[in-house]
Amino acid sequence: MGKKRVMVPAEKLDLSTVKYEHEVIKAPHLTGLMLKLFVRIIEAPVIGSLIISLLKKQNKIVEMLQNTVIPEAPMFKPEFPPQEAEPSVVIVDEEGKPEDRVESALKCLPHYDPASCWSGDSLPSFRYWKIRDYAYAYRSKLVTPSMVAEQIISVIEECNYHKPPTPLLVSFDAEEIRKQAAASTQRFEEGTVAASHAGNPLSILDGIFLAIKDDIDCYPHPSKGATTWMHEVRSVEKDAVCVSRLRSCGAIFIGKANMHELGMGTTGNNPNYGTTRNPHAPERYTGGSSSGPAALVASGLCSAALGTDGGGCKSYYLSWSLVYFIYNILMFCGLLKTKAGSVRIPSSLCGVVGLKTTYGRTSMRGSLCGSGTVEIIGPIASTVEDVILVYAAILGSSPEDRISLKPSPPCLPILSSLENENSLGSLRLGKYTEWFNDVHSTDISNVCEDVLNLLSKSHGCETIEIVIPELHEMRTAHIVSIGSETVCFLNPDLKNGKGVKLTYDTRTSMALFRTFSASDYVAAQCLRRRIMHHHMEIFKKVDVIVTPTTGMTAPKIPPSALKDGETDMQVAGYLMRFIIAGNLLGLPAITVPVGYDKQGLPIGLQLIGRPWGEATILRLASAVEELCAKSVKKPASFYDVLKTK
């Protein structure tokens, strides 16, 4: 086994000795027959377990989890120290009515006159319609929810005949949409037009069209998790808590959005229902796992959507060696002859806004991932203010999380006063330069760096150099945590033979996850507490940690990957590079679009906040959005469903 490794306590770690280690991922890209052979070997009872065991040792996973003394006690779910109150905010009642919280959020927004923007003639560049634009159009009788519904239904049905196909939804019922829209239209007809919020409309979200990711319950649709069988073993009898809160505000649900199967991937590839295409470039991925929600918002078909964010389940940092090793085995055996994973990732790749809340800020009841410790339900929208409105509706911890996590009261940033400028000017932004610049193309780091300079020049935000130690340990702890929790959830179904119905890339992840032991899981939780300490120390010096959201822009979809999927660890590594801290530690994070690379593909900036600090990152995201507003480009696939005439 070798000499035992002993880690110094986290509080005694000398940060001056920390050196950033660039990830070097060398791996063949597997699709088709190669992928099938790969899966068959790693699922073999003896050789598969042996290979994974050897590779875990080679990648120092065994050393880290089984041969290291970690002085910290395990932290089985995020635990946060008490936090200072955020400035210039409104506290909302998480136990009150969702529509009242939405009304409070509306009052926090800057002044905006939808009437002056309705013609669109004076707009200097492309912009998305806001929720307030829809509300104005409905109340002014320029259009009705039923009219918009017909536009959306027409586009979705047309997408089924696109070449290549653009499968945005897994479950879709035109009559159900019409029924919801008719009820909303009737409320507006019975309401008072003169008073902007009087009468029968339930809230500013009444008549607003939303999509729900396929791992969140939205009755009467099944929740398949984009598998071919989950609906056979799990029935849906009511809305998830978050969906129910939106429904009480009058939101209209268009169906269950496509996703990477069971959320276990970063690209959005799904052979079961087809792979969602990026609205900015249909030959490219949307990112995953919330692929459908991000594409629907980016294409203009929905004002917002709900996704889940767990950091992705793809075992990229370990599996590249495994793939390469098995590739050589297959070559040696003569088997090859001449033929050789979330909200923030897809939001960034599709050029929209995606919010990952603090763990426990929103209830997970009614979702496939409701019993995990890394995943949340969060909103995706085309603008920060629309994210704020949807977030206000869905926030509210579950009773058990209120007891165990002791959340700070939920707050919304006041964006409509001079206090907002003062709050922005005092913000300290933490940047780990070597990590920040570890991207596939310098286009990404350069664009994000330009935004930080703009924040400094326009608002006085200070950028402070930081060091984040033990990033490799953080990746290990995350994959063991989410992998073990996934296996625990799926075990009964896997034992009943459902595992062979999963896609090939999901099965590669499951083969690894099943090898994690109870002691591995406990060791990962000890690392989690240790890494939480490092981050809480950083947040004593800065208010927000800033990174690019992803290490690359939208990757191309290989035609050979459409039928059986693919495993591309280089792509997964770049897409996951900056994502994990938000999930393993439960920190709030948001991605906001800030520009494009030389190929015209969207780039996102990620803002990671203190625990329960959603208001701060929303305030900063709003400022970033305003600074970058003139650079927003119309996606290649965009549908103006509000202008029906």
Side-chain angles (χ1 to χ4, degrees), residues 251-574:
I252 298 172
F253 305 110
I254 69 167
K256 302 300 292 297
N258 204 351
M259 59 181 284
H260 206 113
E261 185 184 60
L262 292 176
M264 293 177 67
T266 57
T267 61
N269 180 291
N270 191 315
N272 295 331
Y273 298 97
T275 296
T276 304
R277 305 284 175 151
N278 194 311
H280 288 269
E283 75 282 3
R284 293 180 180 270
Y285 282 121
T286 57
S289 61
S290 303
S291 53
L296 283 158
V297 171
S299 63
L301 288 171
C302 285
S303 295
L306 290 188
T308 53
D309 193 315
C313 297
K314 203 64 185 172
S315 47
Y316 67 90
Y317 69 93
L318 169 64
S319 292
W320 70 264
S321 265
L322 184 58
V323 174
Y324 186 70
F325 191 73
I326 294 178
Y327 177 82
N328 284 325
I329 287 177
L330 291 172
M331 290 294 290
F332 179 77
C333 294
L335 294 178
L336 285 184
K337 310 283 184 202
T338 58
K339 293 185 180 179
S342 62
V343 162
R344 288 163 290 159
I345 292 173
S347 296
S348 177
L349 267 52
C350 291
V352 292
V353 183
L355 172 66
K356 184 225 164 275
T357 65
T358 307
Y359 175 80
R361 179 64 90 190
T362 57
S363 174
M364 295 298 291
R365 287 186 180 178
S367 67
L368 299 187
C369 43
S371 59
T373 67
V374 298
E375 198 141 11
I376 61 91
I377 294 173
I380 297 172
S382 55
T383 64
V384 174
E385 78 164 56
D386 288 355
V387 160
I388 290 173
L389 292 172
V390 175
Y391 166 63
I394 68 172
L395 66 81
S397 304
S398 65
E400 55 269 28
D401 281 341
R402 277 179 220 154
I403 294 171
S404 63
L405 298 175
K406 299 179 177 60
S408 301
C411 301
L412 301 171
I414 300 173
L415 305 177
S416 53
S417 70
L418 292 176
E419 293 178 22
N420 186 47
E421 284 298 317
N422 295 331
S423 298
L424 281 170
S426 64
L427 288 180
R428 299 161 299 168
L429 313 181
K431 177 192 174 193
Y432 187 11
T433 297
E434 288 184 278
W435 191 37
F436 191 98
N437 292 337
D438 190 5
V439 291
H440 185 262
S441 166
T442 55
D443 290 355
I444 296 172
S445 51
N446 289 343
V447 167
C448 291
E449 180 71 32
D450 289 344
V451 174
L452 299 186
N453 292 333
L454 283 173
L455 284 170
S456 175
K457 182 178 179 181
S458 301
H459 299 290
C461 300
E462 181 185 4
T463 299
I464 297 173
E465 184 66 25
I466 60 172
V467 173
I468 305 177
E470 300 176 353
L471 288 172
H472 181 60
E473 284 81 355
M474 180 166 66
R475 290 190 290 270
T476 301
H478 175 265
I479 198 66
V480 173
S481 299
I482 195 169
S484 300
E485 291 166 9
T486 300
V487 169
C488 183
F489 168 68
L490 291 175
N491 249 340
D493 302 315
L494 297 177
K495 290 183 177 180
N496 287 333
K498 299 295 186 183
V500 296
K501 294 185 177 182
L502 295 171
T503 58
Y504 289 106
D505 72 322
T506 302
R507 288 163 65 178
T508 64
S509 294
M510 293 303 299
L512 170 65
F513 297 163
R514 284 194 292 264
T515 70
F516 294 142
S517 66
S519 63
D520 290 338
Y521 185 76
V522 173
Q525 308 322 301
C526 294
L527 289 174
R528 182 189 280 195
R529 183 178 298 278
R530 181 181 182 86
I531 295 159
M532 179 71 84
H533 171 83
H534 296 323
H535 281 73
M536 292 306 100
E537 288 298 301
I538 290 169
F539 280 119
K540 291 178 181 178
K541 305 171 185 175
V542 303
D543 302 294
V544 176
I545 298 172
V546 291
T547 73
T549 307
T550 59
M552 70 183 303
T553 52
K556 286 187 176 180
I557 304 173
S560 59
L562 294 174
K563 182 180 178 182
D564 296 311
E566 66 173 324
T567 177
D568 190 332
M569 301 310 168
Q570 289 188 358
V571 165
Y574 279 117

Side-chain angles (χ1 to χ4, degrees), residues 610-626:
R610 290 191 179 100
W612 316 117
E614 285 84 2
T616 296
I617 61 173
L618 286 166
R619 182 190 313 281
L620 186 58
S622 179
V624 169
E625 179 181 66
E626 185 176 0

